[in-house]
Amino acid sequence: MPVKYLSQEWVDAYNAALAGDDAVRAALKGKNAALQMVISGSPQGDVRYWLRIGDGGASAGLGDAADADVTISQSYETSVQVNKGELDGQKAFMQGKVKISGKMLKMMQLRGPLEKVQTVLGTIDTEY
């Protein structure tokens, strides 16, 4: 059964998918970061969620990460396209559709591991 994008059920499915993927755990080994996502203009209004990476594991939750290293802001439309795999996140950034603030070096170090996370996101049966 599909889960509504950016809902608590979607976050729960996201966490389960992350926890069950060996490639993600391997890619995140030795990495630590807190990422804040800001999605504007969704059907629910603006949505904020976080992704916390800690040495081989990752978890997500709705709301704000008090200690975010990086904030990633984008429109709902861009977020949906990236999540569906229709638009590459790096390309969206280069086109100015995604804004990143905070520790850019940390973000660059996470580029490869976040591609693995994005692949896992694509496996969630999501309703947009």
Side-chain angles (χ1 to χ4, degrees):
M1 187 166 99
V3 292
K4 183 87 176 139
Y5 186 49
L6 302 176
S7 68
Q8 183 60 55
E9 292 76 20
W10 177 80
V11 170
D12 294 344
Y14 187 2
N15 283 319
L18 288 171
D21 193 281
D22 292 336
V24 168
R25 282 196 300 277
L28 296 178
K29 186 150 182 62
K31 309 281 190 237
N32 292 289
L35 308 178
Q36 179 69 53
M37 311 300 181
V38 180
I39 312 299
S40 61
S42 85
Q44 308 96 299
D46 291 353
V47 175
R48 300 172 73 85
Y49 73 95
W50 49 264
L51 175 65
R52 189 172 309 281
I53 297 167
D55 193 20
S59 62
L62 291 173
D64 290 316
D67 57 347
D69 297 301
V70 175
T71 299
I72 301 170
S73 303
Q74 59 195 301
S75 70
Y76 177 76
E77 179 183 339
T78 298
S79 180
V80 167
Q81 289 175 333
V82 170
N83 200 60
K84 287 180 169 182
E86 297 171 353
L87 177 63
D88 177 69
Q90 173 115 6
K91 190 175 284 187
F93 173 72
M94 298 302 277
Q95 293 172 349
K97 294 180 178 182
V98 173
K99 306 286 187 226
I100 300 174
S101 61
K103 299 178 180 174
M104 293 302 287
L105 180 59
K106 187 167 286 253
M107 189 64 197
M108 296 306 291
Q109 293 169 342
L110 292 171
R111 194 169 80 189
L114 288 175
E115 287 175 7
K116 299 285 188 207
V117 170
Q118 190 61 46
T119 299
V120 169
L121 274 176
T123 67
I124 298 170
D125 187 8
T126 305
E127 174 189 324
Y128 298 94

